[in-house]
Amino acid sequence: MTSKGKAVKRMKIKKSKEDKIFNIFLYGIAIIILIIVLYPMYFIIIASFSNPAEVAAGNITFFPKGPTLKGYRKLAEYAQLWVGYKNTILYTVIGTLITLVTNIPAAYALSRSDLYGRKFLTVFFLIPMFFTGGLIPTYLAIKQFQLLDNFWVMVLPFSVVTYYIVVARTFFGNTLPEELWESAQIDGCGTLTFFFKMVLPLSKAVLAVIALWAAVGQWNSYFNALVYLRNPDLQPLQLVLRNILISNQTIVSMTTGAAAVEAKQTAELIKYAIIVISSLPIMCMYPFVQKYFNKGVMLGSLKG
């Protein structure tokens, strides 16, 4: 019997009753976990479109009630919101590119066994991963470089991330055989040519993983902006949304009676809308890099 016939025969073998029960059990657990993970986000989405009184009363479960766009309309009235969106998109795109440019070459260099001082450089990169100079020395250093209240403070000082370098170095060491470099040398290929024409095209998986991590981190970043930025025209989306939440809480605390109830309900509606508009863009990006994400993480962590 041919190998193809054997494969067909194996496929026709019926699963035992125990196997079917076990599979049903696994699928049931997977569905329950999926619901637990997805329902909170689904609830936030339907709550952002529902009547705030219904949300406050706890009447929202699976479908929106009293559909309204009040929260989004109120949020759109803040002109600073669109400035924050523009800034965050710029910070995310430019910051991700700079992160790749600074971390990937360093990771490849550290993956080379013939790198002079490799152990020392590895320790040099690892120490800041566990110990930092603290907020005040960092602030003084950034001030000395005249980056305070500057666009580049959000993308340059914190672009080198040791964890990204470790992941990429492991990927290069496990997936790029030494014979590939030796063959390239025989063909007259130099180090830079090999890196750009061989290493990068073969490393799309780890590039996508690190780009996704960097983009998510940059998109959600607000602390650096809170410390180093004072100009409202440079503030990212997360800081703008934080300011909107604080202003709404202030309005609620200053009102009384029925007006206070309505203000609180509106503030809750705006809060749900803020979560949606701040999370949705980065969530929409994930499916496009998911296949690289899974592959890159596995190849960067397993030997073979």
Side-chain angles (χ1 to χ4, degrees):
M1 183 181 293
T2 64
S3 58
K4 183 177 180 181
K6 292 180 180 179
V8 172
K9 185 177 180 180
R10 284 197 299 268
M11 292 175 63
K12 292 182 179 179
I13 297 177
K14 293 183 178 180
K15 294 182 179 180
S16 65
K17 183 178 179 181
E18 290 78 8
D19 289 338
K20 292 180 179 179
I21 294 175
F22 183 70
N23 287 340
I24 292 173
F25 177 72
L26 288 182
Y27 285 129
I29 292 178
I31 292 172
I32 292 174
I33 294 176
L34 188 65
I35 293 173
I36 293 174
V37 171
L38 293 182
Y39 180 75
M41 189 62 195
Y42 174 73
F43 175 81
I44 289 172
I45 293 174
I46 62 176
S48 68
F49 289 102
S50 300
N51 187 316
E54 296 288 348
V55 177
N59 297 329
I60 306 299
T61 306
F62 296 106
F63 302 100
K65 292 186 178 181
T68 177
L69 294 175
K70 182 179 179 181
Y72 293 96
R73 286 198 299 266
K74 287 284 186 182
L75 203 55
E77 293 175 0
Y78 294 90
Q80 193 64 28
L81 175 69
W82 310 112
V83 176
Y85 245 120
K86 181 198 71 174
N87 291 336
T88 294
I89 292 173
L90 289 175
Y91 293 146
T92 301
V93 173
I94 297 176
T96 301
L97 291 175
I98 292 177
T99 297
L100 291 175
V101 169
T102 55
N103 290 277
I104 296 302
Y108 174 68
L110 291 175
S111 71
R112 300 292 307 164
S113 59
D114 56 350
L115 176 67
Y116 181 78
R118 180 188 180 191
K119 292 184 178 179
F120 170 77
L121 291 174
T122 301
V123 174
F124 181 79
F125 276 103
L126 285 176
I127 288 177
M129 184 177 179
F130 301 102
F131 306 98
T132 64
L135 179 59
I136 295 177
T138 304
Y139 182 90
L140 294 176
I142 289 176
K143 183 179 180 181
Q144 189 69 26
F145 281 102
Q146 298 182 357
L147 289 176
L148 286 180
D149 225 13
N150 189 299
F151 174 89
W152 297 104
V153 75
M154 294 295 294
V155 296
L156 280 181
F158 310 98
S159 58
V160 177
V161 181
T162 304
Y163 179 71
Y164 299 166
I165 294 176
V166 171
V167 171
R169 184 198 65 174
T170 306
F171 179 91
F172 293 140
N174 291 348
T175 60
L176 298 178
E178 186 65 24
E179 292 77 11
L180 188 64
W181 165 240
E182 294 174 355
S183 299
Q185 282 183 307
I186 294 174
D187 293 334
C189 183
T191 303
L192 289 178
T193 304
F194 178 73
F195 177 74
F196 285 106
K197 291 189 175 181
M198 298 291 290
V199 174
L200 293 184
L202 293 174
S203 306
K204 293 179 181 178
V206 75
L207 291 177
V209 171
I210 293 178
L212 177 64
W213 287 343
V216 171
Q218 193 69 57
W219 184 274
N220 292 329
S221 176
Y222 78 93
F223 183 75
N224 291 338
L226 186 64
V227 175
Y228 305 117
L229 292 179
R230 292 293 178 267
N231 187 349
D233 294 333
L234 295 176
Q235 291 181 349
L237 176 65
Q238 304 300 335
L239 192 56
V240 173
L241 296 178
R242 173 183 176 274
N243 294 336
I244 292 174
L245 287 175
I246 292 175
S247 65
N248 277 282
Q249 291 174 356
T250 303
I251 292 173
V252 171
S253 64
M254 293 176 62
T255 55
T256 57
V261 175
E262 183 179 357
K264 184 176 181 180
Q265 292 177 352
T266 303
E268 289 294 314
L269 201 57
I270 291 176
K271 181 173 70 175
Y272 290 129
I274 283 175
I275 296 174
V276 172
I277 68 169
S278 62
S279 305
L280 198 58
I282 206 71
M283 291 176 63
C284 291
M285 186 186 76
Y286 178 77
F288 296 100
V289 295
Q290 182 182 8
K291 61 178 181 179
Y292 296 113
F293 182 83
N294 296 333
K295 182 180 178 183
V297 170
M298 294 305 296
L299 291 178
S301 58
L302 297 179
K303 182 72 174 176

